[in-house]
Each structure stands twice: as C-alpha cells, then as structure tokens.
Amino acid sequence: MKLRDLLFITSFPLVVIGPILVGVISYQFLKESTFDKLQVVNAIHTKDFVELHIDARHDILVKNKMDGLKNYVTAYKNEVVVEAQSEDESYKGSFVIAENQGGRFFYNRGYFVGVTDLEMSSSLAGLEHDDRILELNGEKYVFSKLQFEPWKWDIYGLYPIEETSELLKEVAFAVFLVCGLILVVLFTVTSLMYRYFVIKPLSEISSFSERLSQLKLEDRLRIKSPEEFRVLSKHLDRMRMSLTENIGRIEKANEELSQFSYRTSHDLKSPLTASKKLTEFILQDIESGDLEEAKSSVTRVQSQVTKLESLVDDVLSLTKIDLIAENESEFNIKTLIDDIVDKRQIFFEEDCCTLSVVVDLADPIIRGHKIRYQQIIENLVSNGFKYKDETKQNPYVKLHIISVDERLSITVEDNGVGIPDKHHSEIYQMFKRFHPSLASGSGLGLAIVKKHVERMQGSIHFTSSQQGTTFRIDIKRK
C-alpha cells in the first residue's frame, strides 16, 4: 500500500467525521436555542394578550366602578373569550382560558381540532412544574401560563412545535451546507498539507536515494520541514558527501595503485634484467677462463640482488601499513630509539655523520603501534644520513621528541642537501627520488611515513632549503 493511500484512509474519517459531529452538535444547539427562543416569544405573546385584552378591560371596569355590575363583567369576559377564540395573523399559536370557578375552558376549537374539553382539562391539570411541552391529541405545543386573579382565570398560550420544524429544516440545511463546505475546504487543505509536508519530501528522499544508489552525487538534498524529514535529508546529504569523498579516495587509491604497480614492476624488472645479463657475462668469463672478471660480475649481481631485496622490503612495508591489526600496546619510546640507534650505528659511523637524540618526556611510556613509530623514525633518520651534504663541515641529524599539550611531537632535523623547491609538492609520492646520484633507494620512505602518520590521525610538516631539512610530526598521545 502506498503512503498516500494510507494517509487518505487514516485522515478521511477524521476529516469527514469531524465536520459531521460539528454539524450534529450545532444542529442540536440551534434546535435547543430555537426552542428556548420560541418559549420566550410565546410568553411575550401571552403576556401581550393578557395586558391588551384582559387587563385593559378590567381597568375600564375599575375606572368606571362597574365591578359590581355583573352584566358588564360578563360582557367584557365574553369579549375576551371571543378574541381568544379568533385567529391572530401575527401569532401562529392560540390561547386557552381556564375558568377556575366554573371549571370551563374557552379556546378556538377550530385551532385544536379533535380536542375535547375533557382532554383539554386533563392535559392542563396534568402539567408538572418543570414541564416545557404540552401534548394534545398527539400534537406537541410549547406553552406559557399566566394567572389573572380578579377573574379567577388561567390563561395559556399554546404554540405548536411543528410550526418550528420548517425553520429548523432551513437551519439544519444551512448548518450542514456550511459543514459540507468546511469538509471540502478541510479535506483540500489537509490533502495539500500531506502532499507538501509528507508526500513531496518522501518523493524527494526516494529520488535522492535512487540517485545515490546510481552514484549520481552532484545534486544536494535540502528539505526544510517538517523537522524529522529535515534531519533525515541532512543525514542523507552527509552520506552523499561522504560517498563523494570516499569515491575520490578510491579513485586516488586506484591511480596510486596503477602507478605503484607500474613503478614496482619497472623497478623490480630493472635489477632482474641486469642480474640476468650479468649471469650471461659470468658464464662467458668462466668459459674463457677470466675468473677475475667473473668475480666482478658476481659482485655486481649481489649488488643488484641487494637493491632488489631493499625494494621488496620497502614494498612490503608500504603494503603492510593498512594491514597492521595488532592491538595497541604500551612501550618505552626511549628504548625503541636506543634499539634503532644500535641497529644503525655502524651505518651512521661509516657516513661520518653525527646523530643526536633528545627525548624530553616526563613519562616515556606511550600507547600505540610500536611498529609505526619505529618505521617513521627509521625512515626519517635514514633519509637524513643518505642525503647529507659532504661539502658542509660536521654533517648531523638531530632527533628531538617532546610532549606538547596532549600531543607527541617528533622532529628530525638535518643539514643535508635539502629538497628542491619545485619538488615540494611531490615529496610524499611513491618512487620519487630527488637526488638519485647521492644514494640508492626505492623512493618509498616518505610515502611510508606519511601513511603511518595518517593512520594515527596525526599531522606531518616539513621545511627544506639548501641549509637542510626539518620534518615535524604531531601525534595525539594516548
């Protein structure tokens, strides 16, 4: 089931039932209000009848002092009875006079068709104090009652309820017409709101997700409301940016891999080709009896194999960087540096280059991958010795390790030949060698250092000139 169908099913009853309930309640309220107004109007008509026809005539009797003249009283009473029995165009109801002394009833018999005096008497006598409706011969009437003590009369004004039915029908029609319009407007507004705030954002999210699955990452997703969709769109857009960055890294890695494969195969092939050619020369020299030349060729083969071995070691070191899975451990960095110095001490002495080490740490115990620190320091120190400037007096390499705030700072400084300015942007590229005449190597050392630093979420910076080169590495100390 589609979302829009589900929303329609869930919202339609609310949208429809709401106005219907409002209409029913409004109708009941108007009906009750109309009934109350009808009672008020009926009471006014009844009071007017008493004041205009009964009080007025009695006042005349009092004014002319004719109370004792029975014939005048009877005459005036008869006049009132006649008026009670006549039709009134301005009043849809009718009046009933109950004479308490004689137990008689005077009313318009043409108005109350089929109603006998006995039924009239029974109905009026059966009225309770809180009754609001009088029923005669199956018809219901709103009634008002006034007493006229001088003549011992009870005057009732009766108004048929069915006279109000037409009015209520008109009112009901108007109410339900208005509710119908409200229903249409409400349903339209609700549909538009669902479409704008739910359907449209979901459609955009669906389309965006489809584009993501097809790696079409150019367009951004921006949904401002409602809040939940805005947050979702923000997360999806972050996913797009993350995918873009990862694809960029993958493309870069593929490019590096392609270059790596080409350069590795080339650099591996070169000493193999040279060794193969030298072995041919060795065979020829042996056949000709020139053992000295054969020995020389063997020495050169050994040199090529050593070069090949060094290249293979560097390649293995580079490829293992991403495969280091051992758990981090605590180790003493001073001990690590002592081991590196002891292992390379002969090489340092032969190069007539001094190495000074300063470890200024209150606590030399650090936590991390020991092999990463080892390869970083070994490569930087080795480069300092390889590219020393023999024209300078006292060539040196300085290793300085200090703690700065919560970071470990490793600085390797030398006064060697430096790196030409034009090659500064290529310094961390694989197989890049800027002084091949000074020393042999694979050109992978600084690439290895850079990768290790990145894996430890550190930073590496360098400065270089003809006076020498300085590398500084900052790693968060754990």
Side-chain angles (χ1 to χ4, degrees), residues 260 263-271 304-318 431 433 441-444 448:
F260 177 77
R263 292 300 302 272
T264 302
S265 61
H266 179 272
D267 287 2
L268 287 173
K269 186 178 179 180
S270 179
Q304 292 295 326
V305 171
T306 301
K307 181 179 178 182
L308 181 60
E309 182 182 21
S310 175
L311 177 60
V312 170
D313 287 341
D314 286 343
V315 170
L316 288 175
S317 297
L318 184 65
F431 304 106
R433 298 177 60 214
S442 63
L444 294 175
I448 292 172

Side-chain angles (χ1 to χ4, degrees), residues 331-341 355-366 373 377 381 397-404 407-412 477:
F331 62 93
N332 191 316
I333 195 167
K334 283 186 176 180
T335 304
L336 173 65
I337 293 173
D338 290 341
D339 292 342
I340 294 173
V341 172
L355 171 65
S356 61
V357 178
V358 177
V359 180
D360 188 8
L361 298 175
D363 183 8
I365 305 299
I366 63 175
Y373 285 93
I377 295 171
V381 171
V397 176
K398 296 179 180 179
L399 172 62
H400 193 191
I401 301 178
I402 61 173
S403 181
V404 180
R407 305 185 72 84
L408 190 70
S409 179
I410 302 174
T411 303
V412 178
R477 184 170 183 176

Side-chain angles (χ1 to χ4, degrees), residues 38-133:
L38 185 61
Q39 282 189 315
V40 172
V41 171
N42 190 58
I44 292 173
H45 278 287
T46 305
K47 184 178 180 182
D48 288 344
F49 178 79
V50 173
E51 289 178 350
L52 294 175
H53 300 289
I54 301 177
D55 281 344
R57 284 178 171 79
H58 185 265
D59 288 343
I60 293 173
L61 291 173
V62 173
K63 184 177 181 181
N64 294 322
K65 298 181 179 180
M66 293 185 291
D67 288 343
L69 301 176
K70 299 298 183 183
N71 55 336
Y72 283 103
V73 175
T74 301
Y76 281 135
K77 284 185 177 181
N78 290 337
E79 289 179 3
V80 173
V81 170
V82 170
E83 289 172 352
Q85 293 174 343
S86 62
E87 301 288 342
D88 187 350
E89 295 181 358
S90 63
Y91 180 53
K92 298 296 184 182
S94 185
F95 301 103
V96 177
I97 298 175
E99 188 175 55
N100 296 334
Q101 290 179 336
R104 295 179 298 173
F105 296 91
F106 307 103
Y107 53 91
N108 186 350
R109 297 182 185 278
Y111 188 89
F112 300 102
V113 179
V115 178
T116 64
D117 288 350
L118 181 60
E119 186 179 359
M120 182 68 76
S121 173
S122 175
S123 297
L124 294 178
L127 289 174
E128 300 291 338
H129 177 71
D130 56 349
D131 285 344
R132 303 175 68 186
I133 296 176

Side-chain angles (χ1 to χ4, degrees), residues 252-267:
K252 182 179 178 181
N254 286 335
E255 183 180 354
E256 290 179 353
L257 180 61
S258 178
Q259 294 179 2
F260 177 77
S261 301
Y262 172 76
R263 292 300 302 272
T264 302
S265 61
H266 179 272
D267 287 2

